[in-house]
Amino acid sequence: MQGVFVDPVHRTARVAGGSLLGELDREAQAYGLITPTGTVSHTGVGGLTLGGGIGRLTRLYGLTCDNVVSMEVITADGQLRHASENENADLFWGLRGGGGNFGVVTSFEFRLHPFNSTVTAGNLVYPLELAPKVFEFAAQYAATLPPEAAIGMSLLSLPNGVKIASVEFIHCGALSTGAALAKPLRDFMKPLNDTIATTTFTQVQTQGDAVQGPGHRQYTKGGFLPKMQAGVIEAAVAAIQSARLPLMHGIFFGQLGGGAMSKVSPGETAFPNRDADYVTFMFLQWDEPAHSAPAIDWARQAWKGIEPFSQGFYTNFMPSDVGQRHVDENYGSNLEKLTRVKNKYDPTNLFRLNANVLPARGS
Ligand SMILES: Cc1cc2nc3c(=O)[nH]c(=O)nc-3n(C[C@H](O)[C@H](O)[C@H](O)COP(=O)(O)OP(=O)(O)OC[C@H]3O[C@@H](n4cnc5c(N)ncnc54)[C@H](O)[C@@H]3O)c2cc1C
């Protein structure tokens, strides 16, 4: 079920349930419009939106789910329902952050924003040893940036053993402002490579597609950080320093705080983690079956160093070994209402292969 239909007059897009982010970006950008999505264009709109949807425009326009106007959804009883603020409002609430718990969304209607396709964006790459100083400066500086700009910080141990740190910068708006805002980051310490330049947003949105492509073994683990601290950077650097396997080990920090995401209260949609300053996740990728056990073991060990700085996790990056108690805790004060919505629309828990909301409680 793929297809994106833009209504440029009302600034909305009707998106079929199986569409990919790249299709939505491309069609909306053809009209100079956008809705915030994720960072890899072959990710599905469906799962990403229902779990929240975090990306380069989260500070500017909020989560992807914050930009949904309505949905067509087939619930567990086989009924096709329209969900919006005015119709089945409880279902609409639960679908925005509650993942695939309530039914199959056959189409989404998104709000679109006017958006200039030309942006200032790129990466500054450093040797791993400089990461603590560079990241500390970047995080302090990022806290002063307007919502039109955002940074991401990555630590990588590549399959050939090379270890690097990088800071991704993006600014959407006047190019002169973008260049001026990037300058302190570029000037702070000389990078090995500096790719910050004028480019198109759709180009930025596809730059990670190949590296994170299908057909490989992958493991992801992560959480939200209430604030960026020196301790979490140290733990992440130590983890990357300890990486010995000939495969891609990555630890990523994405800036979220101080923008549109945190302006929505945690109870307004089912997505609970509104106060996060950063999202962090580990990304491992390999092909050899023999690397699976040591790679996952490395990730679990590395996470032990980072986890004490985290609070809650992003359900769309949830590994399968997270227990129900943690899933419940993560929904926080929204769990009770989620349970009521689950009881109403999926009382037998037909949709359970997800960050599951159990229907029995409180029914
Ligand atoms: C390479 C890569 C990059 C990523 N980058 C980001 C990112 O930048 N930002 C971010 O927020 N997340 C990101 N993610 C996480 C992503 O949000 C989740 O993996 C999400 O589940 C993807 O949704 P999907 O529709 O592609 O997946 P699928 O595997 O098709 O679906 C996953 C689950 O979502 C639910 N679901 C999917 N479609 C529907 C539907 N139409 N109706 C009801 N339920 C549905 C179901 O429960 C399903 O089991 C990334 C993941 C990958 C693999």
Side-chain angles (χ1 to χ4, degrees):
M1 300 182 73
Q2 287 181 287
V4 176
F5 309 94
V6 174
D7 177 343
V9 175
H10 296 101
R11 289 187 185 152
T12 56
R14 171 71 55 191
V15 180
S19 305
L20 304 181
L21 303 188
E23 299 169 273
L24 174 52
D25 276 349
R26 191 183 61 234
E27 295 302 316
Q29 277 285 269
Y31 294 93
L33 299 168
I34 206 79
T35 206
T37 60
T39 56
V40 176
S41 84
H42 49 69
T43 312
V45 170
L48 179 127
T49 303
L50 298 173
I54 292 171
R56 296 183 172 94
L57 303 181
T58 307
R59 296 185 76 231
L60 185 55
Y61 294 130
L63 297 168
T64 310
C65 74
D66 297 337
N67 290 272
V68 179
V69 179
S70 70
M71 295 178 234
E72 300 287 340
V73 51
I74 299 175
T75 44
D77 57 4
Q79 295 297 310
L80 177 64
R81 291 184 156 86
H82 188 76
S84 69
E85 289 290 2
N86 303 320
E87 217 177 327
N88 297 306
D90 52 356
L91 182 60
F92 185 57
W93 177 89
L95 287 167
R96 289 172 297 154
N101 264 290
F102 305 106
V104 177
V105 176
T106 55
S107 90
F108 296 83
E109 183 190 2
F110 287 101
R111 184 180 309 117
L112 301 176
H113 309 267
F115 190 82
N116 189 344
S117 62
T118 314
V119 299
T120 307
N123 284 279
L124 302 167
V125 180
Y126 304 88
L128 183 67
E129 309 78 76
L130 296 185
K133 272 192 180 156
V134 171
F135 282 14
E136 195 182 333
F137 173 78
Q140 274 172 13
Y141 179 63
T144 70
L145 289 172
E148 291 79 17
I151 67 151
M153 300 184 275
S154 306
L155 298 166
L156 297 174
S157 177
L158 304 173
N160 63 5
V162 171
K163 298 181 195 303
I164 51 169
S166 92
V167 177
E168 183 188 332
F169 171 85
I170 183 163
H171 175 264
C172 314
L175 297 179
S176 54
T177 311
L181 289 173
K183 193 169 183 319
L185 277 177
R186 304 175 99 167
D187 289 351
F188 176 66
M189 210 168 263
K190 193 173 161 46
L192 297 172
N193 195 19
D194 176 347
T195 65
I196 295 176
T198 301
T199 180
T200 63
F201 186 66
T202 42
Q203 205 165 343
V204 178
Q205 287 286 82
T206 51
Q207 72 191 10
D209 282 9
V211 177
Q212 300 198 55
H216 305 283
R217 289 158 205 270
Q218 297 180 343
Y219 187 81
T220 299
K221 205 172 182 71
F224 290 108
L225 304 179
K227 59 179 176 173
M228 179 55 75
Q229 300 177 64
V232 72
I233 297 171
E234 279 164 29
V237 171
I240 290 293
Q241 267 162 348
S242 76
R244 296 281 176 271
L245 297 162
L247 51 93
M248 168 74 87
H249 308 66
I251 302 178
F252 175 79
F253 300 100
Q255 187 191 9
L256 298 175
M261 180 182 108
S262 47
K263 290 210 174 95
V264 178
S265 73
E268 217 166 302
T269 70
F271 184 90
N273 316 90
R274 296 278 176 180
D275 293 338
D277 196 19
Y278 279 78
V279 61
T280 182
F281 65 90
M282 277 178 282
F283 173 76
L284 286 96
Q285 188 185 78
W286 66 98
D287 293 318
E288 284 295 319
H291 288 147
S292 298
I296 294 171
D297 190 47
W298 178 88
R300 288 182 175 150
Q301 288 304 320
W303 183 241
K304 281 185 189 163
I306 296 169
E307 191 175 19
F309 299 93
S310 73
Q311 194 178 310
F313 58 85
Y314 181 30
T315 50
N316 275 351
F317 289 148
M318 187 179 84
S320 53
D321 53 6
V322 171
Q324 186 65 43
R325 188 170 61 85
H326 284 107
V327 173
D328 288 353
E329 280 170 9
N330 194 55
Y331 283 125
S333 56
N334 285 342
L335 180 64
E336 202 184 314
K337 184 167 175 185
L338 277 165
T339 306
R340 269 188 274 134
V341 180
K342 184 77 173 180
N343 281 336
K344 185 168 166 189
Y345 294 100
D346 184 18
T348 64
N349 205 8
L350 179 68
F351 301 110
R352 59 185 175 275
L353 301 178
N354 44 43
N356 198 216
V357 176
L358 290 173
R361 247 181 279 101
S363 61

